[in-house]
């Protein structure tokens, strides 16, 4: 069943994601597209019922005041223009100077536009979304083969389940152990996907390859791009061993795209599946989740029948521990952050926090502090603990962990993890901090 869609054109607003989520909460699908989308591209989108031109403070790019293509006004779609003085008022059902400050007023405005002006049907749900995506994937892929980077995280797992329904045996999953996984992570991926789910899974041990490429690299953006590029190189090599691989599937979701920068917003950080892809990429991308927020990805996974343990698995960034071993990666600190992370996860599980907290992990920075070990002065690393809660990964709050739990974790890390003499708890919400340190 095709879902009706409201298209949001990004003309420099900081409320694009809020508006998109608000429309979806009304039961109508919405997507955010760049301001310079052509009339032909807009018309090619499925079941568009209306357009919101969303102006805002970022409407000046490189000294030029941007605008939408004038032909957009002539397509006959109901148009709501907000914070856009240049809007052709005679072609709009409403032109506002700004969004209402009160949430109820904003919701009512959207409800009136979506249902009264656009006559959209409230048919946005995961069952319909999955049906639409399966159809779109079939159209895109045809009878060709798809290669998927299967980390075992929520995003790649949901993509795998969706693609299995769409193209079945045409899908080949590749799990790359880049040496930056959490303790026991790769072994778990093989056990679940190959042994339990019978997926066509190829395991690649590339630890030394990645660590040699990352040797001496301290800049976090360079690390991310190296890891992202090397991932694609590995997949290209695996594809050459197979026959007829034309597509690369990725678990890109909308927060990845926002944080990697849009045409009206600066990048927060590059994501391995958005930035850092080689220019000579030989595959066409398949990204069925790229318009979903994290909570919607989980709902999609449940609708696809994935087990709760997989759908609510602890989030883990593509670059793995590479962005939690801060600065230039060394095996000593990489081991420390991996072992400390295992202790944190074990103690959170014992305290029942693994089901309550959205994401929790450890960080080891590239500096040391003075301490005492075995009655002698030592100069060792600190371990930073982080535990955050969020709905869509666009903002995050700090979990108020019981003091006794923190003390237990600290005691174990200090006793069991080598080269560590301090444990700290990060109290910084997002914003101004990001969830990850790098």
């Amino acid at each position: 069943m095709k879902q009706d869609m409201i298209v949001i054109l990004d003309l420099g607003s900081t409320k694009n994601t809020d508006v998109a989520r608000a429309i979806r909460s009304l039961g109508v699908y919405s997507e955010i597209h760049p301001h310079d989308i052509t009339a032909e591209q807009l018309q090619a989108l499925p079941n568009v019922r209306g357009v919101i031109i969303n102006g805002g403070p970022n409407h000046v790019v490189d000294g030029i005041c941007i605008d939408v293509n004038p032909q957009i006004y002539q397509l006959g779609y109901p148009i709501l223009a907000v914070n856009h003085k240049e809007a052709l008022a005679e072609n709009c059902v409403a032109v506002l100077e700004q969004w209402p400050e009160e949430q109820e007023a904003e919701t009512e405005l959207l409800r009136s536009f979506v249902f009264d002006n656009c006559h959209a049907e409230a048919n946005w749900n995961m069952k319909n979304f999955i049906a639409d995506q399966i159809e779109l994937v079939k159209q895109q892929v045809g009878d060709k083969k798809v290669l998927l980077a299967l980390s075992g995280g929520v995003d790649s797992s949901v993509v795998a389940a969706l693609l299995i329904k769409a193209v079945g045996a045409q899908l080949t999953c590749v799990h790359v152990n880049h040496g930056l996984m959490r303790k026991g992570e790769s072994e778990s991926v093989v056990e679940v996907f190959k042994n339990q789910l019978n997926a066509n899974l190829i395991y690649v041990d590339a630890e030394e390859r990645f660590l040699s490429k990352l040797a001496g690299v301290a800049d976090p953006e360079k690390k991310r791009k190296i890891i992202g590029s090397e991932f694609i190189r590995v997949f290209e090599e695996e594809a050459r061993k197979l026959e007829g691989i034309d597509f690369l599937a990725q678990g890109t979701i909308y927060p990845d795209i926002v944080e990697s920068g849009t045409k009206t917003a600066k990048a927060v950080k590059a994501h391995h599946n958005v930035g850092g892809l080689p220019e000579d990429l030989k595959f066409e991308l398949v990204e069925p989740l790229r318009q979903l927020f994290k909570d919607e990805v989980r709902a999609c996974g449940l609708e696809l029948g994935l087990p709760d343990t997989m759908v609510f698995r602890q989030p883990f960034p593509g670059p793995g521990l590479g962005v939690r071993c801060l600065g230039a990666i060394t095996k000593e600190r990489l081991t420390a952050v991996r072992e400390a992370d295992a202790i944190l996860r074990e103690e959170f599980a014992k305290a029942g926090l693994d089901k309550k907290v959205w994401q929790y992990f450890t960080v080891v920075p590239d500096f040391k502090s003075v301490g005492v070990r075995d009655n002698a002065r030592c100069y060792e690393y600190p371990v930073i603990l982080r535990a955050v809660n969020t709905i869509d990964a666009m903002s995050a709050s700090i979990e108020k962990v019981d003091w006794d739990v923190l003390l237990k974790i600290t005691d174990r890390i200090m006793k069991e993890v080598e080269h560590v003499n301090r444990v700290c708890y990060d109290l910084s919400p997002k914003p101004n901090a990001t969830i990850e340190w790098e």
Side-chain angles (χ1 to χ4, degrees):
M1 180 180 182
K2 289 290 186 183
Q3 298 171 105
D4 288 347
M5 183 197 303
I6 303 297
V7 173
I8 300 166
L9 298 185
D10 175 17
L11 204 62
S13 176
T14 58
K15 286 179 60 67
N16 291 316
T17 56
D18 293 339
V19 175
R21 291 184 66 83
I23 294 172
R24 293 184 191 186
S25 71
L26 296 174
V28 178
Y29 184 54
S30 62
E31 286 187 358
I32 303 166
H33 287 271
H35 70 279
D36 57 358
I37 188 173
T38 66
E40 292 75 16
Q41 289 171 331
L42 181 59
Q43 286 181 304
L45 296 174
N47 284 39
V48 176
R49 292 290 180 260
V51 175
I52 296 177
I53 301 175
N54 206 18
N58 299 323
H59 69 285
V60 177
V61 179
D62 296 329
I64 300 174
C65 187
I66 60 176
D67 201 348
V68 297
N69 285 307
Q71 295 89 348
I72 298 294
Y73 293 101
Q74 308 303 325
L75 298 179
Y77 298 120
I79 294 176
L80 169 63
V82 182
N83 200 354
H84 182 44
K85 297 178 181 178
E86 293 77 13
L88 300 180
E90 65 271 21
N91 296 89
C92 300
V93 297
V95 179
L96 308 176
E97 290 188 4
Q98 62 182 12
W99 288 102
E101 294 185 4
E102 294 185 2
Q103 185 63 47
E104 289 185 6
E106 179 182 305
T107 300
E108 189 53 41
L109 170 67
L110 288 172
R111 187 188 306 277
S112 177
F113 175 69
V114 169
F115 296 117
D116 298 338
N117 298 120
C118 302
H119 305 292
E121 183 178 348
N123 54 10
W124 158 245
N125 58 58
M126 279 304 152
K127 183 177 181 180
N128 290 340
F129 173 81
I130 290 168
D132 285 351
Q133 290 303 316
I134 288 175
E135 182 178 337
L136 289 171
V137 169
K138 286 181 177 179
Q139 292 175 0
Q140 180 184 9
V141 173
D143 60 357
K144 295 184 171 67
K145 296 181 180 179
V146 185
L147 191 63
L148 169 66
L150 179 56
S151 67
V154 178
D155 301 337
S156 64
S157 297
V158 174
V159 169
L162 196 153
L163 291 181
I164 288 171
K165 285 186 175 293
V167 297
Q170 294 167 238
L171 174 67
T172 298
C173 300
V174 176
H175 175 69
V176 178
N177 180 4
H178 50 23
L180 305 170
M181 304 293 287
R182 291 175 293 193
K183 190 173 184 178
E185 192 83 45
S186 286
E187 294 84 352
S188 175
V189 169
V190 173
E191 170 61 27
V192 171
F193 288 95
K194 188 172 185 177
N195 299 340
Q196 297 180 19
L197 300 182
N198 299 315
N200 182 15
L201 177 65
I202 296 173
Y203 173 83
V204 182
D205 185 351
E207 178 176 0
E208 291 303 319
R209 174 173 173 170
F210 275 83
L211 294 184
S212 64
K213 290 277 187 179
L214 291 164
V217 179
D219 181 81
E221 288 302 285
K222 289 182 179 179
K223 288 198 293 186
R224 285 179 177 272
K225 288 190 179 295
I226 287 171
I227 294 168
S229 296
E230 205 60 26
F231 252 104
I232 301 302
R233 297 301 181 197
V234 172
F235 295 140
E236 286 181 329
E237 292 171 13
E238 291 303 318
R240 283 195 290 269
K241 299 175 185 176
L242 303 169
E243 292 184 2
I245 298 291
D246 292 290
F247 295 90
L248 174 67
Q250 293 192 146
T252 307
I253 65 175
Y254 192 70
D256 298 341
I257 298 170
V258 172
E259 290 194 333
S260 294
T262 64
K263 292 181 178 179
T264 63
K266 294 181 179 179
V268 177
K269 60 186 177 183
H271 285 262
H272 75 287
N273 50 1
V274 180
L277 299 180
E279 293 182 1
D280 60 343
L281 179 65
K282 303 299 183 184
F283 307 114
E284 182 179 337
L285 295 180
V286 178
E287 299 175 310
L289 307 181
R290 66 180 291 111
Q291 290 289 344
L292 294 187
F293 295 93
K294 196 71 177 188
D295 57 316
E296 294 170 338
V297 174
R298 296 186 191 280
C300 184
L302 292 176
E303 182 66 33
L304 286 165
L306 291 175
D308 286 6
T309 53
M310 187 177 297
V311 171
F312 294 100
R313 189 173 188 169
Q314 175 72 197
F316 195 51
L321 299 181
V323 292
R324 295 177 180 174
C325 183
L326 307 185
I329 298 171
T330 64
K331 285 201 172 184
E332 183 176 84
R333 288 190 300 112
L334 187 58
T335 299
V337 73
R338 180 179 287 118
E339 294 298 325
D341 176 81
I343 291 172
L344 175 66
R345 288 192 289 148
E346 184 177 329
E347 292 301 326
F348 263 42
K350 289 179 181 177
L353 292 171
D354 58 327
K355 296 179 176 63
K356 179 185 178 186
V357 182
W358 185 81
Q359 189 171 22
Y360 46 95
F361 55 90
T362 59
V363 171
V364 176
D366 190 15
F367 60 81
K368 296 180 179 180
S369 67
V370 175
V372 177
R373 184 179 296 279
D374 298 328
N375 297 316
R377 174 189 174 97
C378 65
Y379 198 51
E380 298 177 327
Y381 299 106
V383 167
I384 300 164
L385 311 179
R386 187 146 173 79
V388 299
N389 290 308
T390 182
I391 294 176
D392 56 15
M394 302 303 294
S395 62
S397 60
I398 303 305
E399 174 66 22
K400 297 178 181 178
V401 180
D402 184 80
W403 197 249
D404 289 339
V405 175
L406 286 176
L407 291 177
K408 177 68 179 299
I409 294 168
T410 299
D411 182 63
R412 285 195 58 191
I413 290 176
M414 300 278 274
K415 289 179 179 177
E416 300 175 30
V417 181
E418 295 183 351
H419 310 296
V420 169
N421 64 3
R422 289 181 189 271
V423 176
C424 309
Y425 189 55
D426 183 356
L427 294 172
S428 312
K430 176 183 181 178
N432 290 350
T434 53
I435 293 176
E436 297 288 343
W437 271 60
E438 287 189 343

